[in-house]
């Protein structure tokens, strides 16, 4: 065997296909759960008051969390449509929170400007991040 033969050996193969699929599915599950958890946190913070006045911390968290979730979804799953993974449960949670129950309970009232700002800011953030994914040039994971 010569030195030239050793140099022409194929490069080591990447991770097994099944392992890659497992990592992507795990990332998708994490993103969906994180979308629900951030939505619950934002709903809880929508009624925070300082000195008797509502503060908009919930809307700010919605923007920041939705940017991070959208980025992580694409990086973990590796597909452009992955931005929908955290967005769908987040939207569903906001829709449920805005509907009055038969007992009269309401999580997100229409007279709460922070809740309305949170929904608009969060929805716009997911829309912008999804639009950016559509326009972004393709890149491969790990390279």
């Amino acid at each position: 065997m010569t030195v030239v033969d050793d140099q022409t050996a194929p490069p080591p193969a990447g991770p097994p296909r099944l392992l890659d699929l497992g990592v992507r599915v795990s990332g998708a599950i994490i993103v969906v759960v994180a979308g629900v958890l951030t939505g619950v946190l934002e709903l809880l913070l929508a009624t925070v008051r300082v000195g008797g006045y509502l503060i908009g911390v919930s809307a700010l968290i919605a923007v920041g969390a939705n940017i991070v979730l959208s980025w992580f979804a694409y990086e973990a799953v590796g597909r452009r449509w992955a931005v929908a993974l955290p967005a769908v449960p987040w939207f569903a949670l906001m829709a449920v929170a805005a509907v009055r129950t038969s007992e009269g309970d309401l999580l997100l009232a229409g007279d709460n400007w922070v809740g309305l700002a949170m929904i608009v800011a969060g929805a716009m953030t997911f829309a912008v991040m999804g639009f950016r994914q559509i326009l972004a040039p393709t890149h491969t994971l790990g390279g």
Side-chain angles (χ1 to χ4, degrees):
M1 182 178 267
T2 65
V3 175
V4 175
D5 290 335
D6 288 340
Q7 291 177 351
T8 60
R17 189 164 172 86
L18 188 60
L19 177 63
D20 183 55
L21 179 63
V23 169
R24 289 175 189 251
V25 169
S26 299
I29 292 169
I30 289 169
V31 168
V32 169
V33 171
V36 171
L37 291 177
T38 59
V40 169
L41 176 67
E42 293 159 14
L43 285 170
L44 290 173
L45 294 176
T47 59
V48 172
R49 296 177 183 267
V50 173
Y53 297 101
L54 287 170
I55 59 173
V57 68
S58 180
L60 296 175
I61 290 175
V63 171
N66 292 354
I67 288 171
V68 170
L69 286 174
S70 299
W71 168 82
F72 182 73
Y74 176 70
E75 291 298 322
V77 177
R79 301 285 187 251
R80 292 175 189 251
W81 57 262
V83 71
L85 291 173
V88 169
W90 188 88
F91 282 120
L93 188 61
M94 294 303 146
V96 168
V99 175
R100 189 174 302 276
T101 65
S102 59
E103 292 85 18
D105 298 331
L106 185 63
L107 291 174
L108 199 56
D111 62 349
N112 182 346
W113 70 268
V114 175
L116 297 174
M118 175 189 66
I119 291 174
V120 170
M124 289 301 295
T125 302
F126 277 129
V128 168
M129 294 302 287
F131 189 68
R132 287 189 67 217
Q133 287 300 329
I134 291 170
L135 294 180
T138 59
H139 85 283
T140 59
L141 292 176

Coordinates of all heavy atoms in Angstrom, one line a residue, residues 4-95:
V4 N -0.2 7.3 -1.5 CA -1.2 7.9 -2.4 C -2.5 7.2 -2.2 O -3.6 7.8 -2.2 CB -0.7 7.8 -3.9 CG1 -1.8 8.3 -4.8 CG2 0.5 8.6 -4.1
D5 N -2.5 5.9 -2.1 CA -3.7 5.1 -1.9 C -4.5 5.6 -0.6 O -5.7 5.6 -0.5 CB -3.5 3.6 -1.8 CG -3.0 3.1 -3.2 OD1 -3.4 3.7 -4.2 OD2 -2.4 2.0 -3.2
D6 N -3.7 5.8 0.5 CA -4.3 6.3 1.7 C -4.9 7.6 1.6 O -5.9 7.9 2.2 CB -3.3 6.3 2.9 CG -2.8 4.9 3.3 OD1 -3.6 4.0 3.0 OD2 -1.8 4.8 3.9
Q7 N -4.4 8.5 0.8 CA -5.0 9.8 0.6 C -6.2 9.8 -0.2 O -7.0 10.8 -0.2 CB -3.9 10.7 0.0 CG -2.8 11.0 0.9 CD -1.7 11.9 0.2 OE1 -1.8 12.1 -1.0 NE2 -0.7 12.4 1.0
T8 N -6.4 8.8 -1.0 CA -7.6 8.8 -1.8 C -8.8 8.1 -1.1 O -9.8 7.9 -1.7 CB -7.3 8.1 -3.2 OG1 -6.9 6.7 -2.9 CG2 -6.3 8.8 -4.0
A9 N -8.6 7.7 0.1 CA -9.7 7.1 0.8 C -10.9 8.1 1.0 O -10.7 9.3 1.1 CB -9.3 6.6 2.2
P10 N -12.1 7.6 0.9 CA -13.2 8.5 1.0 C -13.3 9.2 2.4 O -12.8 8.6 3.4 CB -14.5 7.7 0.8 CG -14.0 6.3 1.1 CD -12.5 6.2 0.8
P11 N -13.8 10.4 2.5 CA -13.9 11.1 3.8 C -14.9 10.3 4.7 O -15.7 9.6 4.2 CB -14.4 12.5 3.5 CG -15.0 12.3 2.2 CD -14.3 11.2 1.4
P12 N -14.7 10.4 6.0 CA -15.6 9.7 6.9 C -17.1 10.2 6.7 O -17.3 11.4 6.4 CB -15.2 10.1 8.3 CG -14.2 11.2 8.1 CD -13.7 11.2 6.7
A13 N -18.0 9.3 6.8 CA -19.4 9.6 6.5 C -19.9 10.4 7.7 O -19.4 10.4 8.8 CB -20.2 8.3 6.4
G14 N -21.0 11.2 7.4 CA -21.7 12.0 8.4 C -22.5 11.1 9.4 O -22.3 9.9 9.4
P15 N -23.2 11.7 10.2 CA -24.0 11.0 11.2 C -25.0 10.1 10.5 O -25.5 10.4 9.4 CB -24.7 12.0 12.0 CG -24.8 13.2 11.2 CD -23.5 13.2 10.3
P16 N -25.3 8.9 11.1 CA -26.3 8.0 10.5 C -27.6 8.8 10.3 O -28.0 9.7 11.0 CB -26.4 6.9 11.5 CG -25.2 7.0 12.4 CD -24.8 8.4 12.4
R17 N -28.3 8.4 9.2 CA -29.6 9.0 8.9 C -30.6 8.9 10.0 O -31.3 9.9 10.2 CB -30.1 8.3 7.6 CG -31.2 9.0 7.0 CD -31.4 8.5 5.5 NE -32.5 8.9 4.9 CZ -32.7 10.1 4.3 NH1 -31.6 10.9 4.2 NH2 -33.8 10.5 3.7
L18 N -30.7 7.8 10.7 CA -31.6 7.6 11.8 C -31.4 8.6 12.9 O -32.3 9.2 13.5 CB -31.7 6.2 12.2 CG -32.7 5.8 13.2 CD1 -34.1 6.1 12.6 CD2 -32.6 4.4 13.6
L19 N -30.1 8.8 13.2 CA -29.7 9.7 14.3 C -30.1 11.2 13.9 O -30.6 11.9 14.7 CB -28.2 9.6 14.6 CG -27.7 10.6 15.6 CD1 -28.3 10.4 17.0 CD2 -26.2 10.5 15.7
D20 N -29.8 11.5 12.6 CA -30.2 12.8 12.1 C -31.7 13.1 12.2 O -32.2 14.1 12.7 CB -29.7 13.0 10.7 CG -30.0 14.4 10.1 OD1 -29.6 15.4 10.8 OD2 -30.7 14.5 9.1
L21 N -32.5 12.1 11.8 CA -33.9 12.2 11.9 C -34.4 12.3 13.4 O -35.3 13.1 13.7 CB -34.6 10.9 11.3 CG -36.1 10.9 11.3 CD1 -36.7 12.1 10.5 CD2 -36.6 9.6 10.8
G22 N -33.8 11.6 14.3 CA -34.1 11.7 15.7 C -33.8 13.0 16.3 O -34.6 13.6 17.1
V23 N -32.7 13.6 15.9 CA -32.4 15.0 16.4 C -33.4 16.0 15.8 O -33.8 16.9 16.5 CB -30.9 15.3 16.0 CG1 -30.6 16.8 16.2 CG2 -29.9 14.5 16.7
R24 N -33.8 15.9 14.6 CA -34.7 16.8 14.0 C -36.1 16.7 14.6 O -36.7 17.7 14.9 CB -34.8 16.6 12.5 CG -33.6 17.0 11.7 CD -33.7 16.7 10.3 NE -32.5 16.9 9.6 CZ -32.3 17.9 8.7 NH1 -33.2 18.7 8.4 NH2 -31.1 18.0 8.1
V25 N -36.5 15.5 14.9 CA -37.8 15.3 15.5 C -37.8 15.8 16.9 O -38.8 16.4 17.4 CB -38.3 13.8 15.4 CG1 -39.5 13.5 16.3 CG2 -38.5 13.4 14.0
S26 N -36.7 15.5 17.6 CA -36.6 16.0 19.0 C -36.6 17.6 19.0 O -37.3 18.2 19.9 CB -35.3 15.5 19.6 OG -35.3 14.1 19.7
G27 N -35.9 18.2 18.1 CA -35.9 19.6 18.0 C -37.3 20.2 17.7 O -37.7 21.2 18.2
A28 N -38.1 19.5 16.8 CA -39.4 19.9 16.5 C -40.3 19.8 17.7 O -41.1 20.7 18.0 CB -40.0 19.0 15.4
I29 N -40.2 18.8 18.5 CA -41.0 18.6 19.7 C -40.6 19.7 20.7 O -41.5 20.3 21.3 CB -40.8 17.2 20.3 CG1 -41.4 16.2 19.4 CG2 -41.4 17.1 21.7 CD1 -41.1 14.7 19.8
I30 N -39.4 20.0 20.9 CA -38.9 21.0 21.8 C -39.5 22.4 21.4 O -40.0 23.2 22.2 CB -37.4 21.1 21.9 CG1 -36.9 19.8 22.6 CG2 -36.9 22.3 22.5 CD1 -35.4 19.6 22.5
V31 N -39.5 22.7 20.1 CA -40.0 24.0 19.6 C -41.5 24.1 19.8 O -42.0 25.2 20.2 CB -39.6 24.1 18.1 CG1 -40.3 25.3 17.5 CG2 -38.1 24.3 18.0
V32 N -42.2 23.0 19.6 CA -43.7 23.1 19.8 C -44.0 23.3 21.3 O -44.8 24.2 21.6 CB -44.4 21.8 19.3 CG1 -45.8 21.7 19.8 CG2 -44.3 21.7 17.8
V33 N -43.3 22.6 22.2 CA -43.5 22.8 23.6 C -43.1 24.2 24.0 O -43.8 24.8 24.8 CB -42.8 21.7 24.4 CG1 -42.8 22.0 25.9 CG2 -43.4 20.3 24.1
A34 N -42.0 24.6 23.5 CA -41.5 26.0 23.8 C -42.5 27.1 23.3 O -42.7 28.1 24.0 CB -40.2 26.3 23.2
G35 N -43.2 26.8 22.2 CA -44.2 27.8 21.7 C -45.4 27.9 22.7 O -45.9 28.9 22.9
V36 N -45.8 26.7 23.2 CA -46.9 26.7 24.2 C -46.4 27.4 25.5 O -47.2 28.2 26.0 CB -47.3 25.3 24.5 CG1 -48.3 25.2 25.6 CG2 -48.0 24.7 23.2
L37 N -45.2 27.1 26.0 CA -44.8 27.6 27.2 C -44.6 29.1 27.1 O -44.9 29.9 28.1 CB -43.5 27.0 27.7 CG -43.6 25.5 28.1 CD1 -42.2 24.9 28.4 CD2 -44.5 25.4 29.3
T38 N -44.0 29.6 26.1 CA -43.9 31.1 25.9 C -45.2 31.8 25.8 O -45.4 32.9 26.3 CB -42.9 31.5 24.8 OG1 -43.5 31.0 23.5 CG2 -41.5 31.0 25.0
G39 N -46.2 31.1 25.1 CA -47.5 31.7 25.0 C -48.2 31.8 26.4 O -48.8 32.8 26.7
V40 N -48.0 30.8 27.2 CA -48.6 30.8 28.6 C -47.9 31.9 29.4 O -48.6 32.7 30.1 CB -48.4 29.4 29.3 CG1 -48.7 29.5 30.7 CG2 -49.3 28.4 28.6
L41 N -46.6 32.0 29.3 CA -45.8 33.0 30.0 C -46.3 34.4 29.6 O -46.5 35.3 30.5 CB -44.3 32.9 29.8 CG -43.5 34.0 30.4 CD1 -43.5 33.9 32.0 CD2 -42.0 33.9 29.9
E42 N -46.5 34.6 28.3 CA -46.9 35.9 27.8 C -48.3 36.3 28.3 O -48.6 37.4 28.7 CB -46.8 36.0 26.3 CG -45.4 35.9 25.8 CD -45.3 35.4 24.4 OE1 -46.4 35.4 23.7 OE2 -44.2 35.0 23.9
L43 N -49.2 35.3 28.3 CA -50.6 35.5 28.8 C -50.5 35.9 30.3 O -51.3 36.7 30.8 CB -51.4 34.3 28.6 CG -51.9 34.0 27.2 CD1 -52.5 32.7 27.0 CD2 -52.8 35.1 26.8
L44 N -49.7 35.2 31.1 CA -49.6 35.5 32.5 C -49.1 36.9 32.7 O -49.5 37.6 33.7 CB -48.7 34.5 33.2 CG -49.2 33.1 33.3 CD1 -48.2 32.1 33.9 CD2 -50.5 33.1 34.2
L45 N -48.1 37.4 31.9 CA -47.5 38.7 32.1 C -48.3 39.8 31.4 O -48.0 41.0 31.6 CB -46.1 38.7 31.5 CG -45.1 37.8 32.2 CD1 -43.8 37.8 31.5 CD2 -45.0 38.2 33.7
A46 N -49.4 39.5 30.7 CA -50.2 40.5 30.1 C -51.0 41.4 31.1 O -51.4 42.5 30.7 CB -51.2 39.8 29.1
T47 N -51.1 40.9 32.3 CA -51.8 41.7 33.3 C -50.9 42.3 34.3 O -51.4 42.8 35.3 CB -52.9 40.8 34.0 OG1 -52.2 39.7 34.6 CG2 -53.9 40.3 33.0
V48 N -49.6 42.3 34.1 CA -48.7 42.8 35.1 C -48.8 44.3 35.2 O -48.9 45.0 34.1 CB -47.2 42.4 34.7 CG1 -46.2 43.1 35.6 CG2 -47.1 40.9 34.9
R49 N -48.9 44.8 36.4 CA -49.1 46.3 36.6 C -48.0 46.8 37.5 O -47.5 46.1 38.4 CB -50.4 46.6 37.2 CG -51.6 46.2 36.4 CD -52.9 46.5 37.1 NE -54.0 46.1 36.2 CZ -54.7 46.9 35.4 NH1 -54.4 48.1 35.3 NH2 -55.7 46.4 34.7
V50 N -47.6 48.0 37.3 CA -46.6 48.7 38.1 C -47.3 50.0 38.5 O -47.6 50.8 37.6 CB -45.2 48.9 37.4 CG1 -44.3 49.8 38.3 CG2 -44.6 47.6 37.1
G51 N -47.5 50.2 39.7 CA -48.1 51.5 40.2 C -49.6 51.6 39.7 O -50.1 52.7 39.5
G52 N -50.2 50.4 39.5 CA -51.6 50.4 39.0 C -51.7 50.6 37.5 O -52.8 50.6 37.0
Y53 N -50.6 50.7 36.7 CA -50.7 50.8 35.3 C -50.1 49.6 34.6 O -49.1 49.0 35.1 CB -49.9 52.0 34.8 CG -50.4 53.3 35.4 CD1 -49.8 54.0 36.5 CD2 -51.5 53.9 34.8 CE1 -50.3 55.2 37.0 CE2 -52.0 55.1 35.3 CZ -51.4 55.7 36.4 OH -52.0 56.9 36.8
L54 N -50.8 49.2 33.5 CA -50.3 48.0 32.8 C -48.9 48.4 32.1 O -48.8 49.5 31.6 CB -51.3 47.7 31.7 CG -52.6 47.0 32.1 CD1 -53.5 46.9 30.9 CD2 -52.3 45.6 32.6
I55 N -48.0 47.4 32.1 CA -46.8 47.6 31.4 C -46.7 46.6 30.3 O -47.3 45.6 30.3 CB -45.5 47.5 32.4 CG1 -45.5 46.1 33.0 CG2 -45.5 48.5 33.5 CD1 -44.3 45.8 33.8
G56 N -46.0 47.0 29.3 CA -46.0 46.2 28.0 C -44.9 45.1 28.0 O -44.5 44.8 26.9
V57 N -44.6 44.5 29.1 CA -43.5 43.5 29.1 C -43.9 42.3 28.3 O -43.0 41.7 27.7 CB -43.1 43.2 30.5 CG1 -44.1 42.4 31.3 CG2 -41.8 42.4 30.6
S58 N -45.1 42.0 28.3 CA -45.6 40.8 27.6 C -45.4 40.9 26.1 O -45.0 39.9 25.4 CB -47.1 40.6 27.9 OG -47.6 39.5 27.2
A59 N -45.6 42.1 25.5 CA -45.4 42.3 24.1 C -44.0 42.2 23.7 O -43.6 41.6 22.7 CB -46.0 43.6 23.7
L60 N -43.1 42.7 24.6 CA -41.7 42.6 24.3 C -41.2 41.2 24.4 O -40.4 40.8 23.6 CB -40.9 43.5 25.3 CG -41.2 45.0 25.3 CD1 -40.5 45.7 26.4 CD2 -40.8 45.6 23.9
I61 N -41.7 40.5 25.4 CA -41.3 39.0 25.5 C -41.8 38.3 24.2 O -41.1 37.4 23.7 CB -41.8 38.4 26.8 CG1 -41.0 39.0 27.9 CG2 -41.7 36.9 26.8 CD1 -41.5 38.6 29.3
A62 N -43.0 38.6 23.8 CA -43.6 37.9 22.6 C -42.6 38.1 21.4 O -42.4 37.2 20.7 CB -45.0 38.5 22.3
V63 N -42.2 39.3 21.2 CA -41.3 39.6 20.0 C -40.0 38.8 20.2 O -39.5 38.1 19.3 CB -41.0 41.1 19.9 CG1 -39.9 41.3 18.8 CG2 -42.3 41.8 19.5
G64 N -39.3 38.9 21.3 CA -38.0 38.3 21.6 C -38.2 36.8 21.5 O -37.4 36.1 20.8
A65 N -39.1 36.2 22.2 CA -39.3 34.8 22.2 C -39.6 34.2 20.9 O -39.1 33.2 20.5 CB -40.4 34.4 23.2
N66 N -40.5 34.9 20.1 CA -40.9 34.4 18.8 C -39.7 34.4 17.8 O -39.7 33.6 16.9 CB -42.1 35.1 18.3 CG -43.3 34.8 19.2 OD1 -43.3 34.0 20.0 ND2 -44.4 35.5 18.9
I67 N -38.9 35.4 17.9 CA -37.7 35.5 17.1 C -36.8 34.3 17.4 O -36.3 33.6 16.5 CB -36.9 36.8 17.2 CG1 -37.7 37.9 16.6 CG2 -35.5 36.7 16.6 CD1 -37.1 39.3 16.9
V68 N -36.5 34.0 18.7 CA -35.7 32.9 19.0 C -36.3 31.6 18.7 O -35.6 30.7 18.1 CB -35.4 33.0 20.6 CG1 -34.7 31.7 21.0 CG2 -34.5 34.2 20.9
L69 N -37.6 31.4 18.9 CA -38.2 30.2 18.5 C -38.2 29.9 17.0 O -38.0 28.8 16.6 CB -39.7 30.2 19.0 CG -39.9 30.0 20.5 CD1 -41.4 30.2 20.9 CD2 -39.4 28.7 21.0
S70 N -38.4 30.9 16.2 CA -38.4 30.8 14.8 C -37.0 30.4 14.3 O -36.9 29.5 13.4 CB -38.9 32.1 14.1 OG -40.2 32.4 14.5
W71 N -36.0 31.1 14.8 CA -34.6 30.8 14.5 C -34.3 29.3 14.9 O -33.7 28.6 14.1 CB -33.7 31.7 15.1 CG -32.3 31.3 15.0 CD1 -31.4 31.5 13.9 CD2 -31.5 30.6 16.0 NE1 -30.2 30.9 14.2 CE2 -30.2 30.4 15.4 CE3 -31.8 30.1 17.3 CZ2 -29.2 29.7 16.1 CZ3 -30.8 29.5 17.9 CH2 -29.5 29.3 17.4
F72 N -34.6 29.0 16.1 CA -34.3 27.6 16.6 C -35.0 26.6 15.8 O -34.5 25.5 15.5 CB -34.5 27.5 18.1 CG -34.2 26.2 18.6 CD1 -32.8 25.8 18.8 CD2 -35.1 25.2 19.0 CE1 -32.5 24.6 19.3 CE2 -34.8 24.0 19.4 CZ -33.5 23.7 19.6
A73 N -36.3 26.8 15.4 CA -37.0 25.8 14.7 C -36.4 25.5 13.4 O -36.2 24.3 13.0 CB -38.4 26.4 14.5
Y74 N -35.9 26.5 12.7 CA -35.2 26.3 11.4 C -33.9 25.6 11.6 O -33.6 24.6 10.9 CB -35.0 27.6 10.6 CG -34.2 27.4 9.3 CD1 -34.8 26.8 8.3 CD2 -32.9 27.9 9.2 CE1 -34.1 26.6 7.1 CE2 -32.2 27.7 8.0 CZ -32.8 27.0 7.0 OH -32.1 26.8 5.8
E75 N -33.2 26.0 12.6 CA -31.9 25.4 12.8 C -32.0 23.9 13.3 O -31.2 23.1 12.9 CB -31.1 26.2 13.9 CG -30.6 27.5 13.4 CD -29.6 27.4 12.2 OE1 -28.8 26.5 12.2 OE2 -29.8 28.3 11.3
A76 N -33.0 23.6 14.1 CA -33.2 22.3 14.6 C -33.8 21.3 13.6 O -33.4 20.2 13.5 CB -34.1 22.3 15.8
V77 N -34.7 21.8 12.8 CA -35.4 20.9 11.9 C -34.8 21.0 10.5 O -34.8 20.0 9.8 CB -36.9 21.3 11.8 CG1 -37.7 20.5 10.8 CG2 -37.6 21.2 13.2
G78 N -34.3 22.1 10.1 CA -33.6 22.2 8.8 C -34.5 22.5 7.7 O -34.1 22.3 6.5
R79 N -35.7 22.8 7.9 CA -36.7 23.1 6.8 C -37.3 24.5 7.0 O -37.5 25.0 8.1 CB -37.8 22.1 6.9 CG -37.4 20.7 6.7 CD -37.0 20.4 5.3 NE -36.7 19.0 5.1 CZ -35.5 18.5 4.9 NH1 -34.5 19.2 4.8 NH2 -35.4 17.2 4.7
R80 N -37.6 25.1 5.9 CA -38.1 26.5 6.0 C -39.5 26.6 6.6 O -39.8 27.5 7.3 CB -38.2 27.1 4.6 CG -36.8 27.3 4.0 CD -37.0 27.8 2.5 NE -35.7 27.8 1.9 CZ -35.0 28.9 1.6 NH1 -35.6 30.1 1.8 NH2 -33.9 28.9 1.0
W81 N -40.3 25.5 6.5 CA -41.6 25.5 7.0 C -41.6 25.3 8.6 O -42.6 25.4 9.2 CB -42.5 24.4 6.4 CG -41.9 23.0 6.5 CD1 -41.2 22.4 5.6 CD2 -41.9 22.2 7.6 NE1 -40.8 21.2 6.0 CE2 -41.2 21.0 7.3 CE3 -42.5 22.2 8.9 CZ2 -41.1 19.9 8.2 CZ3 -42.3 21.2 9.8 CH2 -41.6 20.0 9.4
A82 N -40.4 25.1 9.1 CA -40.3 24.8 10.6 C -40.8 26.0 11.4 O -41.1 25.8 12.6 CB -38.9 24.4 10.9
V83 N -40.8 27.2 10.8 CA -41.3 28.4 11.6 C -42.7 28.2 12.0 O -43.2 28.8 13.0 CB -41.1 29.7 10.8 CG1 -42.1 29.7 9.6 CG2 -41.2 30.9 11.7
A84 N -43.5 27.3 11.4 CA -44.9 27.1 11.7 C -45.0 26.2 13.0 O -46.0 26.2 13.7 CB -45.6 26.4 10.6
L85 N -43.9 25.5 13.3 CA -44.0 24.6 14.5 C -44.2 25.4 15.8 O -45.1 25.0 16.6 CB -42.7 23.8 14.6 CG -42.6 22.7 13.5 CD1 -41.2 22.0 13.6 CD2 -43.7 21.7 13.6
P86 N -43.5 26.5 16.1 CA -43.9 27.2 17.3 C -45.1 28.2 17.1 O -45.8 28.5 18.0 CB -42.6 28.0 17.6 CG -42.0 28.2 16.3 CD -42.3 27.0 15.5
A87 N -45.3 28.6 15.8 CA -46.4 29.6 15.6 C -47.8 29.0 15.7 O -48.6 29.7 16.3 CB -46.2 30.1 14.2
V88 N -48.0 27.8 15.3 CA -49.3 27.2 15.3 C -49.8 27.0 16.7 O -50.9 27.5 17.1 CB -49.4 25.9 14.5 CG1 -50.7 25.2 14.7 CG2 -49.2 26.2 13.0
P89 N -49.1 26.4 17.6 CA -49.6 26.3 19.0 C -49.7 27.7 19.7 O -50.6 27.9 20.5 CB -48.6 25.4 19.7 CG -47.4 25.3 18.9 CD -47.8 25.7 17.5
W90 N -48.8 28.6 19.4 CA -48.9 29.9 20.0 C -50.2 30.6 19.5 O -50.9 31.2 20.4 CB -47.7 30.8 19.5 CG -47.5 32.1 20.2 CD1 -46.9 32.3 21.4 CD2 -48.1 33.3 19.8 NE1 -47.0 33.7 21.7 CE2 -47.7 34.3 20.7 CE3 -48.8 33.7 18.6 CZ2 -48.1 35.6 20.6 CZ3 -49.1 35.1 18.5 CH2 -48.8 36.0 19.5
F91 N -50.5 30.6 18.2 CA -51.7 31.2 17.7 C -53.0 30.5 18.3 O -53.9 31.2 18.7 CB -51.8 31.1 16.2 CG -51.0 32.1 15.5 CD1 -50.0 31.8 14.6 CD2 -51.2 33.5 15.7 CE1 -49.2 32.7 14.0 CE2 -50.5 34.4 15.0 CZ -49.5 34.0 14.2
A92 N -52.9 29.2 18.4 CA -54.0 28.4 19.0 C -54.3 28.8 20.5 O -55.4 29.0 20.9 CB -53.8 26.9 18.9
L93 N -53.2 29.0 21.2 CA -53.3 29.4 22.6 C -53.9 30.8 22.7 O -54.7 31.1 23.6 CB -51.9 29.3 23.3 CG -51.9 29.5 24.8 CD1 -52.7 28.4 25.5 CD2 -50.4 29.4 25.2
M94 N -53.4 31.7 21.9 CA -54.0 33.1 21.9 C -55.5 33.1 21.5 O -56.2 33.8 22.1 CB -53.2 34.0 21.0 CG -51.8 34.2 21.4 SD -51.6 34.8 23.0 CE -50.1 34.1 23.6
A95 N -55.9 32.2 20.6 CA -57.3 32.2 20.2 C -58.1 31.6 21.3 O -59.2 32.2 21.6 CB -57.4 31.3 19.0

